[in-house]
Amino acid sequence: MIYLYLIATVIVFLTARKLLSPIKSPLANPLLVSILFFIGLFSFTPLIYQDYATANIPFIWLLEPAVVALAIPLFCQVKQIKKQFKAIIISCCLGVVIAISTCISVALLLTDDKILLLSLLPKSVTSPIAMAVANETGGLASLAAAVVIAVGLLGALGGFSLLKLCKITNPQAQGLAMGCSAHAIGTAKAMEVGNEQGAFSSLALVICGVLTAVLAPLFAWLITIMTTI
Amino acid sequence: MKKNIFITVGQLARSAGILLLFLYLGRGIQYISHLPIPGSIFGLLLLFLGLNLRLVPLYYVLPTGSFLLNYITLFFVPVGVGLLQYSELLSTHWLTIIVSSVISTVATLISVGWLYQRFSK
């Protein structure tokens, strides 16, 4: 019977998508509304979250081939990618450094909890990479995963409005910015906005994910120094 | 896209099989290399390579691929509801997490978008 939760996920999401589509506000996001619906349901009723989690494992499982399928929009944009290769690499490299350094320096003003800082480090990359990075550097994988999801939702909700506000209208630039800052959840949003945005977002997701994994030990070492001073 | 109406079960099975094949190839690489990068990312890169080298024609992967990409946001619903598990961790550190994440996400979005818009051809 718990598999009714699987159907419930589909119905709630599709209903939210249908009802919210005429509303232009970034808060009218079907993903956010569905998540809040279920969080509310399990917080305020005696229903048990664990049943929901078990029933929805197929969706978690489907995420993996869906990530593999991101190669399709990437392939459709391969000419553009080749043409802009230098600009893409430069933007992503700087993006990773900015994402990590701004987050850590702001967090350092508020806390000197080393484990928390190390868990915040991979906040802009897709959760499997973030959890692996957190494990490797001595952070808390579960905390890293939670932060990653929150950051992804934040980017998916406000990302495109903010980019438009800052006159960043180039679809490729929008895509890269979403992928760098809000990983797979941002990429899912970018796919809805347009193919070009989606392709460049998945590109940034891959490049930034790999770069973060490579650079994490360096930043972890810096955190260790900063917290011991 | 009109052709999509005539997708057969066989075409669906073939595209699903290819996606799974690349996913498991990716997992294999992850398993052998021990890199902190998930198998699905290796799978993505391999499929991208395969498409570019014409080893896999685009229409072979399109039926299941476009279906999964259409509903990728839906798959994130249970991931987001999963935040419930971390409510204790999140509530202890919420201020630090929110302030640093918001500032950093805004800074990253704007700087990457601006840089690329400025330097792309």
Side-chain angles (χ1 to χ4, degrees):
Chain A
M1 273 315 268
I2 61 166
Y3 285 97
L4 282 176
Y5 282 132
L6 188 77
I7 302 162
T9 303
V10 179
I11 292 173
V12 169
F13 180 78
L14 294 180
T15 312
R17 188 149 87 172
K18 185 126 205 174
L19 291 179
L20 297 172
S21 64
I23 307 170
K24 282 278 169 278
S25 157
L27 282 176
N29 178 305
L31 177 62
L32 178 78
V33 170
S34 313
I35 291 170
L36 290 180
F37 174 84
F38 284 110
I39 287 185
L41 189 70
F42 296 114
S43 306
F44 301 117
T45 67
L47 295 171
I48 302 159
Y49 163 71
Q50 211 49 53
D51 292 342
Y52 178 84
T54 316
N56 279 279
I57 285 173
F59 284 143
I60 305 286
W61 187 85
L62 277 175
L63 265 176
E64 286 202 88
V67 168
V68 177
L70 285 172
I72 294 170
L74 223 53
F75 173 68
C76 295
Q77 296 287 330
V78 72
K79 271 194 193 136
Q80 286 298 316
I81 292 168
K82 275 186 186 151
K83 192 177 153 208
Q84 307 287 5
F85 195 67
K86 233 163 116 185
I88 292 170
I89 296 295
I90 293 172
S91 310
C92 286
C93 287
L94 283 166
V96 166
V97 173
I98 290 167
I100 301 177
S101 56
T102 51
C103 179
I104 296 303
S105 44
V106 173
L108 269 170
L109 298 174
L110 299 164
T111 182
D112 55 0
D113 183 339
K114 194 180 154 193
I115 293 172
L116 175 60
L117 289 165
L118 288 171
S119 312
L120 281 170
L121 193 158
K123 67 139 188 33
S124 298
V125 298
T126 188
S127 53
I129 298 187
M131 289 169 85
V133 164
N135 265 332
E136 198 134 313
T137 55
L140 214 57
S142 54
L143 183 56
V147 173
V148 162
I149 299 162
V151 166
L153 283 171
L154 181 72
L157 287 184
F160 277 100
S161 318
L162 182 71
L163 288 168
K164 267 182 221 147
L165 201 71
C166 298
K167 306 224 158 32
I168 296 159
T169 48
N170 177 333
Q172 300 175 359
Q174 291 180 337
L176 274 193
M178 286 299 275
C180 274
S181 55
H183 53 91
I185 304 182
T187 302
K189 175 73 194 173
M191 293 283 312
E192 284 171 17
V193 176
N195 279 337
E196 212 172 354
Q197 281 92 337
F200 275 72
S201 187
S202 23
L203 191 61
L205 161 87
V206 174
I207 298 175
C208 295
V210 174
L211 272 176
T212 302
V214 174
L215 291 176
L218 174 71
F219 281 99
W221 176 70
L222 283 173
I223 290 173
T224 313
I225 294 177
M226 298 295 272
T227 46
T228 42
I229 292 171
Chain B
M1 275 302 173
K2 252 188 183 164
K3 268 189 182 165
N4 274 355
I5 303 163
F6 303 110
I7 289 171
T8 62
V9 177
Q11 285 172 325
L12 263 178
R14 178 172 64 189
S15 53
I18 292 173
L19 284 173
L20 282 181
L21 173 73
F22 277 91
L23 174 60
Y24 280 94
L25 281 174
R27 282 194 188 163
I29 293 181
Q30 201 266 333
Y31 181 76
I32 295 167
S33 66
H34 288 291
L35 289 167
I37 293 162
S40 55
I41 299 276
F42 283 119
L44 190 171
L45 290 171
L46 285 174
L47 180 58
F48 181 60
L49 206 69
L51 286 166
N52 276 298
L53 297 175
R54 315 280 171 209
L55 292 171
V56 184
L58 182 60
Y59 71 92
Y60 269 31
V61 283
L62 219 44
T64 307
S66 53
F67 171 80
L68 287 174
L69 292 177
N70 251 332
Y71 290 99
I72 190 166
T73 309
L74 167 67
F75 307 149
F76 281 108
V77 173
V79 177
V81 182
L83 282 175
L84 267 176
Q85 293 168 270
Y86 309 120
S87 53
E88 243 172 75
L89 267 174
L90 287 173
S91 58
T92 3
H93 302 295
W94 66 274
L95 186 69
T96 313
I97 292 173
I98 290 179
V99 174
S100 59
S101 303
V102 169
I103 293 178
S104 170
T105 303
V106 169
T108 314
L109 266 166
I110 296 174
S111 52
V112 171
W114 185 84
L115 264 170
Y116 183 82
Q117 194 159 278
R118 175 89 177 64
F119 289 108
S120 61
K121 286 175 247 177

